[in-house]
Amino acid sequence: MSEIQSTVFMALQTNDDTRPIIEALERDNPTAVVNYLPAMVKIDAPGRLVLKRSTVEEIMGMAWDLQSININLISLSGNVEETDDEMILHWNR
């Protein structure tokens, strides 16, 4: 029997600040599905979603503080693991 993976998600406001974050999430999570809705973007991923500071910085071309995501974060689903370098959403099994 195959294991069913629960979906995690992150919802962000749609604005200039979140464009590089969304691009980084798409780059680092090939199985993620990005849904563009009025005023927000919802990124769903099976099992795990990773946001890497280094990928956002590469896209922006400047230093970026991972904690600044909280300004534009609407909601998320999953257990959160955070360091200075990445944010991981997943479900504990």
Side-chain angles (χ1 to χ4, degrees), residues 4 12 15 19 28-30 39 41 44-45 48 50 54 57 60 62 64 71 73 79 82 84 88 93:
I4 297 173
L12 301 166
N15 58 43
R19 289 188 209 328
D28 292 334
N29 301 278
V41 177
D44 296 293
R48 179 179 165 97
V50 180
S54 60
E57 288 180 342
M60 293 177 69
M62 57 186 267
W64 181 71
I71 295 167
L73 184 64
N79 297 104
E82 270 184 288
D84 290 339
I88 301 169
R93 295 238 176 230

Side-chain angles (χ1 to χ4, degrees), residues 26-87:
E26 288 179 293
R27 237 188 243 187
D28 292 334
N29 301 278
T31 60
V33 176
V34 180
N35 299 295
Y36 292 89
L37 305 164
M40 88 171 195
V41 177
K42 184 174 179 251
I43 302 98
D44 296 293
R48 179 179 165 97
L49 186 65
V50 180
L51 176 62
K52 296 179 183 176
R53 180 183 52 81
S54 60
T55 306
V56 177
E57 288 180 342
E58 180 183 313
I59 293 165
M60 293 177 69
M62 57 186 267
W64 181 71
D65 182 358
L66 186 62
Q67 293 299 313
S68 67
I69 192 173
N70 292 309
I71 295 167
N72 293 295
L73 184 64
I74 296 171
S75 184
L76 52 81
S77 173
N79 297 104
V80 180
E81 287 184 34
E82 270 184 288
T83 68
D84 290 339
D85 297 319
E86 64 184 12
M87 172 189 258

